[in-house]
Amino acid sequence: MRYALKLMFFTLLILSCFTPARAESPRRFAVLPFEVHGPDQFAYLGQGIQSMLTSRLKWTGKFEDLDKASNTQAGMALPESMEQARAAVTEMDVDYLIYGSVTILGEQASLDMHLVDREGQDNPQAAQVALNDLIPALENIAKQVNAQIFGRPETAAPAPQAAKPAGPTHPDLIYNEYGPERTQYHLNPEFLYAGAADSPGRWRSQALPFSSLGMVVGDADNNGKNEIFILTDNKVMAYHVVENRLMPLAEYAAPIRFQCLNISLLDLDRDGFQEIIVSAILEEMPRSFILNFIDGKFVLVEERIPMYLNVARIPPEYSPTLIGQKKGRQRLFDTSVHEMLRMGGALEPGPTINLPKGANVFNFTFLPQGDDFKVVVADHSDKLRVFSSQNTFQSVTEDSYAGSALGLTVDVSLPGIEQDLDGDYQDFYYIPSRLVPVNLSPDGQRWDLLVNRNISVSAQFFARYRYFPQGEIHALFWDGINLNINWKTRRIRGTVVDYGLVDLMNDGRTQLFVLVNTHPGVTGFTQRRTVLLSYALELETLQEDGATVDIGLE
């Protein structure tokens, strides 16, 4: 019996030597929202830094993050001492606790971070950088923690030719070098101003003998094919593409004294026919109108609507909605923007849309951010201002965007005159170009903002000179601190007027279209022409729960 027990013991011992060890369960870490010392407009950085560090430190199967709800549970305030930090580690049952603060003084930021382990050891990290360099500083800290504390091997960067951009691919699109997951420039982008006219996947229309203000594309007559509607000062013209040329279908001429401002498409009465909505003014008063396009002809549905009109996608459903705004007393715009409702056969202002100060019917959009959103406003200085969903100001771009040549005169001699968001008085208000949120990421989780960047040194100094000799389309994304570039087109000669993502060619594929007014030179403004460009995008079909995800908001 004793011999049998010994034999069994040695047998189990030998077998254990050849039995693989059970895989260790992943260790856990928690990142608390950082404390922010500085102006209230930077309060959002607390959760922004928390989210960024969590995503950078997560190592699947090795180091998993504690869910955010547990991080912010009742009573889990930021530790004020090392004793409280050690107690928090035990209470949250994590291996590492990360917390800290950021201090904003003018254009400088000071970052202090603590990383406390289960044994109570603290590994502090600190950085003092310019505010614009806060994101790279956080990236460096995350790399140091991964390498020195978590023992995570640094992955070799993939060869440039094998990298895949986070978005559409095309030889005329340039990708930002921000972030390790993005394609880097092979050359300095200053050298990549313009692609060849015959670049693969790029189409250029013939020059049309007029300058334009805007463009929309859609199946307005419900025949299964998209039509192209181009807006001029007082005309709407319909086209379609036949054998790589724009072929005219019809034309509608508004009264000669009308000045058109913008154009939109929306099926207002849900009958399958999209209405063409044109915002216009007559002697500085809003006089918008609505058209149908049926049997190859324009039909006037409603005219002289005393409202500025536009179409926006309103959260939480982001369904396209007709919005409007009245002219203000002794100012261009009334104080509020409304959803428009049809009551008694006429369009009337409905519920007020909650927007930050300075927003009007033409200059804002909602940029989805998971279950939340940002409000992006193009201000009077052609800068993009970002607000939280509670209308708290968060950031403003350094570069100019959404600039246009369509200016409305502001009477600065009257009380209540228009002011821009910085308090400067303006003689002209230039209606910004379209702000277009799109979702082109492979996982459908990140939204970009398509916006133009018209480029002209002269336009920066002379208010009445707003003709741009060249421009670009940028796809911007919210990086937690500001809008950053994901990708952009090469330089386009001429003034970028309008743009969007549509099936322009009716071939079942989405294209990026760009409407351009040519720039013949300082002495040739009356000779400007309209040219339409399109870029074929290699987009994979995005699926979510078996349904195709909407890749663009018009």
Side-chain angles (χ1 to χ4, degrees):
M1 182 67 177
R2 187 177 301 174
Y3 174 78
L5 289 175
K6 288 183 178 180
L7 181 62
M8 183 180 296
F9 172 77
F10 283 112
T11 302
L12 292 175
L13 182 62
I14 293 172
L15 288 175
S16 66
C17 295
F18 295 95
T19 302
R22 187 180 60 182
E24 294 184 3
S25 59
R27 283 180 284 180
R28 300 199 306 167
F29 70 91
V31 182
L32 297 180
F34 272 50
E35 189 174 11
V36 179
H37 305 289
D40 291 342
Q41 68 194 55
F42 296 109
Y44 71 96
L45 283 175
Q47 292 188 353
I49 293 174
Q50 177 195 25
S51 298
M52 181 175 177
L53 286 176
T54 299
S55 65
R56 299 304 189 272
L57 298 177
K58 184 174 182 178
W59 185 7
T60 303
K62 298 289 187 179
F63 288 91
E64 299 287 354
D65 60 303
L66 195 66
D67 62 273
K68 188 174 291 188
S70 300
N71 290 2
T72 55
Q73 59 184 317
M76 189 53 64
L78 285 181
E80 296 181 358
S81 65
M82 193 52 55
E83 288 73 20
Q84 290 184 7
R86 295 187 184 105
V89 170
T90 302
E91 182 179 347
M92 301 178 76
D93 190 23
V94 293
D95 296 282
Y96 296 95
L97 178 66
I98 299 166
Y99 65 97
S101 65
V102 59
T103 302
I104 309 295
L105 292 175
E107 297 299 320
Q108 297 296 312
S110 177
L111 181 70
D112 293 290
M113 189 185 91
H114 295 275
L115 189 150
V116 181
D117 61 23
R118 192 176 285 273
E119 286 71 37
Q121 298 296 318
D122 183 25
N123 296 275
Q125 305 283 337
Q128 290 186 343
V129 295
L131 184 58
N132 290 337
D133 294 330
L134 184 57
I135 289 287
L138 286 166
E139 293 277 4
N140 289 333
I141 288 177
K143 288 180 180 179
Q144 292 176 19
V145 171
N146 275 321
Q148 299 174 10
I149 299 175
F150 288 3
R152 185 175 185 174
E154 186 173 355
T155 56
Q161 65 271 21
K164 188 158 180 132
T169 57
H170 188 276
D172 281 341
L173 302 185
I174 304 170
Y175 298 88
N176 189 15
E177 54 191 1
Y178 176 86
E181 74 280 6
R182 303 182 193 279
T183 301
Q184 296 185 349
Y185 292 119
H186 296 290
L187 296 174
N188 187 301
E190 293 292 327
F191 302 145
L192 299 175
Y193 280 170
D198 57 351
S199 296
R202 181 186 184 208
W203 173 78
R204 184 183 191 275
S205 76
Q206 75 273 25
L208 303 176
F210 53 81
S211 62
S212 53
L213 297 178
M215 171 180 149
V216 287
V217 180
D219 185 9
D221 56 4
N222 199 21
N223 69 347
K225 298 290 186 181
N226 286 335
E227 292 83 36
I228 300 167
F229 301 98
I230 297 178
L231 181 69
T232 69
D233 284 339
N234 68 334
K235 291 181 180 180
V236 181
M237 285 168 281
Y239 293 86
H240 63 163
V241 179
V242 178
E243 296 180 353
N244 288 326
R245 289 184 62 84
L246 286 176
M247 301 301 293
L249 294 172
E251 178 181 306
Y252 173 83
I256 191 66
R257 292 190 298 160
F258 272 47
Q259 171 62 60
C260 296
L261 304 178
N262 82 329
I263 185 170
S264 305
L265 272 178
L266 182 64
D267 186 358
L268 293 174
D269 48 13
R270 308 296 177 87
D271 62 352
F273 294 88
Q274 292 183 306
E275 276 71 39
I276 302 155
I277 302 154
V278 178
S279 194
I281 57 173
L282 173 63
E283 297 176 352
E284 300 184 3
M285 296 298 295
R287 292 295 182 264
S288 302
F289 58 91
I290 298 175
L291 305 171
N292 272 140
F293 185 72
I294 301 175
D295 296 330
K297 297 179 181 179
F298 285 106
V299 178
L300 182 63
V301 175
E302 195 165 349
E303 62 179 335
R304 295 178 181 268
I305 303 170
M307 304 278 293
Y308 301 108
L309 298 178
N310 203 355
V311 172
R313 297 218 180 191
I314 310 297
E317 291 83 9
Y318 298 100
S319 55
T321 304
L322 183 65
I323 62 174
Q325 190 172 22
K326 295 180 180 179
K327 187 182 189 309
R329 291 184 178 181
Q330 301 176 338
R331 63 179 62 212
L332 281 178
F333 301 108
D334 194 10
T335 55
S336 56
V337 178
H338 299 264
E339 295 183 29
M340 298 297 293
L341 304 176
R342 191 169 292 282
M343 295 182 289
L347 286 172
E348 299 289 344
T352 299
I353 301 173
N354 184 25
L355 294 170
K357 182 180 179 181
N360 62 57
V361 71
F362 299 119
N363 73 344
F364 79 93
T365 193
F366 296 104
L367 183 64
Q369 300 288 300
D371 295 331
D372 200 7
F373 61 86
K374 303 295 181 186
V375 187
V376 182
V377 177
D379 68 17
H380 292 63
S381 302
D382 296 341
K383 303 295 177 68
L384 298 182
R385 294 180 178 253
V386 182
F387 298 82
S388 71
S389 53
Q390 289 77 40
N391 293 336
T392 301
F393 173 74
Q394 295 190 330
S395 72
V396 60
T397 59
E398 292 185 359
D399 292 330
S400 298
Y401 291 101
S404 81
L406 180 57
L408 302 181
T409 303
V410 177
D411 188 351
V412 297
S413 66
L414 297 174
I417 56 179
E418 288 290 316
Q419 288 180 273
D420 70 11
L421 296 176
D422 291 322
D424 296 329
Y425 296 110
Q426 303 288 313
D427 294 328
F428 291 88
Y429 174 71
Y430 290 92
I431 295 177
S433 299
R434 209 178 299 268
L435 305 176
V436 187
V438 296
N439 189 339
L440 298 175
S441 60
D443 58 4
Q445 298 300 310
R446 196 196 66 240
W447 288 79
D448 291 337
L449 179 68
L450 287 188
V451 64
N452 77 306
R453 183 167 183 261
N454 280 319
I455 301 167
S456 171
V457 175
S458 300
Q460 298 174 14
F461 298 102
F462 305 104
R464 287 177 170 81
Y465 181 75
R466 293 280 293 194
Y467 299 107
F468 303 93
Q470 54 190 351
E472 300 168 344
I473 301 297
H474 287 203
L476 308 176
F477 70 100
W478 176 253
D479 64 10
I481 293 181
N482 208 334
L483 292 174
N484 210 321
I485 300 176
N486 183 14
W487 54 265
K488 66 178 181 177
T489 62
R490 298 173 186 263
R491 291 281 173 91
I492 300 169
R493 293 192 180 94
T495 301
V496 174
V497 176
D498 214 337
Y499 36 88
L501 294 177
V502 293
D503 180 5
L504 189 73
M505 303 296 180
N506 288 304
D507 57 3
R509 301 179 62 187
T510 299
Q511 292 96 31
L512 166 67
F513 79 82
V514 183
L515 188 69
V516 178
N517 285 337
T518 61
H519 184 84
V522 177
T523 61
F525 291 148
T526 59
Q527 303 301 317
R528 286 177 298 154
R529 299 290 184 262
T530 291
V531 172
L532 178 58
L533 305 175
S534 79
Y535 304 82
L537 304 180
E538 296 178 8
L539 301 175
E540 296 179 2
T541 302
L542 302 177
Q543 298 290 328
E544 182 177 73
D545 297 332
T548 300
V549 177
D550 185 9
I551 63 170
L553 301 184
E554 296 178 4

